[in-house]
């Protein structure tokens, strides 16, 4: 049996999973089932205790790219394999989101917006794509696609990752020691890192200060990777000129939070790359077949690594 929980589109997922896996019985929360019969769980943020009696679980499929929350659960046996989505339509959405932010900065749209409120007709000189240095943190399926696509559009792109990754047109920065150098050459910093012990709090005030004066940041990774108070300080001082934020230390962002009304901030409610039913189900169904055949599913999480 496959048991499903997702806060959104549950009926759609159930239908699509049942079609893709006709030999499995697909049931969904809050339907009462015999927990011992559940072999596969497909979830996004299931309620506490969800996995408690699922003693025959063979795999948990997460309906997202980030597995930070599932790794922190205390109701899930730590030997059960966790499988995340890899790309599944998210890389292209992320590229669109980041590109919007990049163009906003490069083509000075914030400035034109301010000029518009003053009815000021004034041309500004914009740097070319080649003069716009972008630093992408995280070069997995999503970050790698974003970095190489921006490079193909002519931007001066460098990428930073734990282990390094050669991508066409992308300068490779590897490991912790190289991070300040990557920041120092980034007019626009794009954070697409997974949430791990190593990346938590990575972009604190000291680290963000390595960005050149007038730089911008786009955060669509995880909120806890960026020190929000330090970010606000750098925006107020003008060291950073713009931040486009999709993720926050606490979500939903509290209504009293100063980020909401900051003139240099454009924020969105964690929508940069949404999980799409069709590609997600296709990937999960293929992975279930792989597991049944004794293979290693695509997107198998290495728990010690955290993604
Ligand atoms: C969204 O944040 C995801 O991890 O897929």
């Amino acid at each position: 049996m496959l048991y499903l929980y997702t806060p959104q589109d549950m009926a759609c997922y159930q239908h699509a999973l049942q079609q893709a896996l006709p030999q499995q019985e697909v049931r969904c929360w809050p339907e009462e089932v015999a927990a011992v019969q559940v072999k596969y769980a497909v979830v996004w943020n299931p309620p506490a205790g969800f996995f408690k009696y699922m003693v025959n679980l063979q795999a948990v499929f997460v309906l997202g790219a980030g597995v930070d929350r599932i790794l922190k659960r205390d109701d899930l046996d730590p030997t059960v394999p966790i499988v995340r989505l890899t790309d599944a339509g998210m890389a292209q959405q992320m590229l669109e989101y980041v590109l919007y932010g990049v163009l906003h900065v490069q083509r000075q749209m914030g400035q034109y917006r301010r000029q518009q409120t003053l009815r000021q007709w004034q041309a500004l000189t914009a740097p070319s794509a080649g003069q716009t240095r972008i630093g992408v943190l995280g070069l997995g399926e999503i970050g790698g696609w974003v970095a190489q696509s921006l490079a193909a559009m002519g931007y001066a792109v460098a990428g930073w990752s734990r282990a390094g990754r050669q991508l066409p047109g992308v300068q490779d920065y590897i490991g912790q020691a190289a991070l300040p150098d990557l920041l120092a050459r980034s007019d626009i910093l794009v954070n697409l890192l997974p949430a791990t012990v190593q990346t938590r709090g990575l972009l604190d005030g000291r680290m963000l200060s390595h960005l050149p004066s007038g730089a911008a940041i786009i955060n669509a990774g995880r909120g806890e990777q960026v020190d929000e108070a330090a970010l606000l300080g750098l925006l107020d001082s003008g060291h950073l000129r713009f931040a486009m934020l999709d993720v926050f230390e606490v979500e939903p962002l509290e209504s009293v939070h100063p980020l909401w009304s900051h003139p240099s901030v454009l924020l969105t409610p964690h929508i940069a790359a949404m999980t799409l039913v069709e590609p997600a189900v296709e990937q999960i169904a293929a992975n279930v077949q792989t597991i049944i055949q004794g293979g290693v599913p695509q997107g198998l999480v290495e728990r010690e690594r955290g993604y």
Side-chain angles (χ1 to χ4, degrees):
M1 183 188 297
L2 184 153
Y3 198 62
L4 167 72
Y5 176 87
T6 161
Q8 258 170 27
D9 304 326
M10 189 120 77
C12 274
Y13 275 105
Q14 185 178 20
H15 179 75
L17 282 162
Q18 190 62 81
Q19 291 236 301
L21 292 164
Q23 71 282 26
Q24 298 289 330
E25 189 183 343
V26 178
R27 311 289 280 272
C28 66
W29 189 89
E31 210 180 331
E32 298 253 350
V33 298
V36 291
Q37 282 174 22
V38 177
K39 278 195 176 161
Y40 307 105
V42 175
V43 296
W44 185 253
N45 290 343
F50 182 85
F51 299 108
K52 200 166 168 199
Y53 300 107
M54 297 183 187
V55 291
N56 291 315
L57 259 190
Q58 305 202 350
V60 175
F61 296 94
V62 176
L63 285 170
V67 289
D68 36 313
R69 273 170 289 190
I70 204 96
L71 289 176
K72 287 190 199 127
R73 294 189 64 114
D74 58 8
D75 57 344
L76 182 60
D77 176 345
T79 63
V80 175
I82 294 173
V83 184
R84 65 194 174 92
L85 292 177
T86 57
D87 184 352
M90 282 182 269
Q92 180 60 29
Q93 293 178 71
M94 194 60 93
L95 171 60
E96 293 160 5
Y97 186 88
V98 171
L99 184 57
Y100 186 95
V102 165
L103 290 170
H104 180 94
V105 174
Q106 182 208 349
R107 300 301 303 265
Q108 294 154 311
M109 289 302 171
Q111 190 88 16
Y112 283 118
R113 182 83 220 167
R114 280 188 287 279
Q115 288 187 185
Q116 187 180 334
T117 60
L118 301 169
R119 297 167 186 255
Q120 217 170 53
W121 182 275
Q122 160 114 51
L124 305 166
T125 37
S128 68
Q131 290 165 335
T132 305
R133 299 168 302 170
I134 301 173
V136 178
L137 306 183
L139 296 177
E141 293 84 4
I142 295 175
W145 175 244
V146 169
Q148 74 184 79
S149 303
L150 292 172
M153 288 175 208
Y155 291 99
V157 182
W160 181 81
S161 60
R162 198 178 47 92
R165 188 171 175 201
Q166 293 290 327
L167 292 165
V170 179
Q171 236 183 304
D172 199 17
Y173 284 70
I174 308 168
Q176 191 72 23
L179 185 55
D181 292 342
L182 180 286
L183 294 177
R185 53 82 56 214
S186 296
D187 301 311
I188 304 175
L189 182 71
V190 179
N191 178 41
L192 299 174
L193 287 166
T196 66
V197 177
Q198 287 78 27
T199 64
R200 169 174 276 275
L202 185 68
L203 299 172
D204 58 11
R206 199 174 51 89
M207 199 54 95
L208 288 171
S209 302
H210 288 290
L211 287 164
S213 179
I217 179 169
I218 299 172
N219 187 16
R222 283 289 185 265
E224 64 256 32
Q225 294 159 348
V226 177
D227 180 337
E228 277 169 10
L231 175 65
L232 274 162
L234 289 164
L235 286 165
D236 285 339
S237 75
H239 186 79
L240 294 183
R241 74 157 136 150
F242 174 71
M244 180 160 150
L245 308 171
D246 189 49
V247 289
F248 304 89
E249 284 171 5
V250 176
E251 292 179 15
L253 186 66
E254 300 139 293
S255 59
V256 294
H257 201 292
L259 283 172
W260 279 112
S261 55
H262 200 288
S264 306
V265 173
L266 178 58
L267 66 82
T268 47
H270 203 141
I271 48 71
M274 311 277 276
T275 302
L276 305 175
V277 177
E278 211 177 296
V281 165
E282 201 177 300
Q283 197 170 99
I284 291 166
N287 274 333
V288 168
Q289 301 297 2
T290 303
I291 291 172
I292 289 171
Q293 286 154 19
V296 178
Q298 186 193 340
L300 180 66
V301 171
E302 287 179 38
R303 281 177 184 265
E304 322 68 61
R305 200 178 62 163
Y307 60 95

